[in-house]
Amino acid sequence: MALADTPGSYGRGGWFRARPAGLRLSLGSVPPPALIILGIVSVQVGAGLAKNLFGQISPDAIVTLRLLTSAVVLSVMARSALRDLRRAHSLRDLGIAVLFGLTLAGMNFSFYQAMARIPLGVAVTIEFIGPLTVAIVASRRRLDLIWAVLALGGVALLARGSGDVSMTGVAFGLLAAVGWALYILLSGATGKRFSGSTGLAIASVVGAAAMMPVGIATGGSALLDPKILLIGLGVGLLSSVIPYSLELEALRRMPAQVFGILMSLEPAVAALVGLVFLGEILQWREWLAIGCVIAACVGATRSQQSPPEAPEA
C-alpha cells in the first residue's frame, strides 16, 4: 500500500534515515527512478501476495501480520531511542504517535477489506484519492480544481461498478483514502516530535496491538501455520520495509516533485500486478478511471510551484 509522508509527495520513504553503510552504498549505484519503480513493484507484489492468502486466512489477520513485521523491524532499528522514550518526550508527543498508530491500523484494515472485494488496481486507485486531496488542498491553486474534478470523475467511473467491482469494496477504498490523508498529516506531526524511525516504530506497535484482537479472532489457528506466518513476514517486508528503504535513497538524489510524479504510476502498476499474479482482468472503463486518477496525480504534482520538503524524521 502506498503511504505518503508529506503533502504533495506520495511516498513512504521519509521515515528511515539510518541504514547500514553497505546497503546505502549498494543502493547508491542504482538510478533513483529505478529505485522508485522497484519500490512500487515491491509494494504491489506484497499486496498481491497478501490477497492470495485471503482464501486461507482473513484480511484482518494478514494486516496484523504485516503490522507486526513492521513493528518488530522498526523497534529493533529504533531500540536506543525507545529506551529513553518517556524521559525524552511529553505525553502530548506520545499521544500524537498513538493517534498515528491507530490511523495506520485503520488505513491498512480498510485497504485490505477493499482489496478482498475489488481488484487490486481499483483499490489502489481509489486509495490514491487521499494523498491527492491533501496535495490539492495544500496547493490552493485554481488549476488544481481541474485535477480534483478529473480524479473524482475517475472514482465515479469505478463507483458505477461492474462484475468485479462492488460498492462495498469502493466504500472501503474511500475509507482507506481518508486514512491515507490522515496518515500524511499525522506523519508530519510525528516526524517533528521524534527522530529517526522512532515515531513510526511507536505507531507500528500501536497499530499492531490495535489489530491483534481482530486478527486473532478472525485468523484463528491459521495464524499458527508456519507457511502462513512466513508469507505474512514476506508481505510485511515487501509492503513496508523494502519500499521505505528504496524510496528514501531515491529521495536523497532526486527532486520531491519528480518523486511524486513517479509515484503516480502506482495505480497502473497495481493493476498490472493484479492482472499478472491474480488474473484480475479490468474493463476499459476501469482502465480509463485509473488513467484519470494518474493524470490528476501527475498534474497536481507538476503544478506545485515548489515541492514541499519532507518532515525531519
Side-chain angles (χ1 to χ4, degrees), residues 16 21 112 166 191 215 270 306:
F16 288 88
Y112 275 61
S166 71
S306 59

Side-chain angles (χ1 to χ4, degrees), residues 7-312:
S9 173
Y10 304 108
R12 296 158 286 260
W15 286 99
F16 288 88
R17 292 184 69 182
R19 293 196 318 278
L23 177 59
R24 188 181 301 114
L25 181 62
S26 60
L27 291 181
S29 62
V30 181
L35 292 174
I36 299 300
I37 299 300
L38 287 173
I40 291 173
V41 171
S42 178
V43 170
Q44 300 311 326
V45 170
L49 193 62
K51 188 165 185 174
N52 267 329
L53 284 180
F54 287 173
Q56 306 173 55
I57 192 170
S58 69
D60 303 333
I62 294 296
V63 172
T64 302
L65 291 175
R66 172 179 172 173
L67 291 175
L68 276 173
T69 301
S70 298
V72 170
V73 172
L74 290 168
S75 295
V76 170
M77 293 174 61
R79 60 189 179 277
S80 59
L82 290 174
R83 293 192 192 102
D84 299 325
L85 193 61
R86 184 63 189 91
R87 185 174 58 186
H89 298 281
S90 66
L91 288 176
R92 179 180 175 82
D93 293 344
L94 296 174
I96 293 292
V98 168
L99 185 58
F100 184 31
L102 295 176
T103 299
L104 189 64
M107 179 182 67
N108 281 279
F109 168 81
S110 300
F111 176 71
Y112 275 61
Q113 290 295 329
M115 193 167 58
R117 293 167 171 82
I118 58 180
L120 175 60
V122 175
V124 172
T125 300
I126 295 174
E127 189 192 29
F128 246 68
I129 298 300
L132 176 61
T133 300
V134 173
I136 290 174
V137 170
S139 157
R140 295 187 178 90
R141 289 167 58 91
R142 291 183 180 179
L143 178 62
D144 286 327
L145 292 176
I146 298 175
W147 310 127
V149 170
L150 186 61
L152 288 174
V155 173
L157 284 173
L158 295 175
R160 289 182 59 188
S162 67
D164 295 323
V165 178
S166 71
M167 286 305 299
T168 303
V170 171
F172 273 116
L174 290 173
L175 280 176
V178 173
W180 198 352
L182 292 174
Y183 174 97
I184 296 170
L185 301 176
L186 287 169
S187 69
T190 305
K192 293 176 182 177
R193 291 168 170 80
F194 298 89
S195 62
S197 57
T198 307
L200 189 56
I202 300 170
S204 295
V205 170
V206 171
M211 282 300 305
M212 280 187 70
V214 180
I216 292 173
T218 59
S221 59
L223 283 170
L224 302 177
D225 187 331
K227 178 182 176 181
I228 289 179
L229 288 174
L230 184 62
I231 296 177
L233 173 63
V235 170
L237 293 174
L238 287 169
S239 300
S240 299
V241 179
I242 293 175
Y244 288 159
S245 300
L246 294 176
E247 290 167 9
L248 175 61
E249 181 60 36
L251 276 168
R252 295 176 190 275
R253 296 185 280 131
M254 71 189 308
Q257 191 176 45
V258 177
F259 177 86
I261 292 172
L262 288 173
M263 287 300 297
S264 301
L265 296 174
E266 193 152 355
V269 174
L272 291 175
V273 169
L275 176 64
V276 174
F277 292 98
L278 302 172
E280 296 175 340
I281 300 176
L282 301 183
Q283 298 182 2
W284 68 268
R285 185 174 67 243
E286 293 158 354
W287 281 106
L288 178 60
I290 291 172
C292 288
V293 173
I294 290 175
C297 290
V298 172
T301 304
R302 286 181 60 86
S303 66
Q304 291 175 5
Q305 292 179 337
S306 59
E309 294 182 0
E312 182 67 17

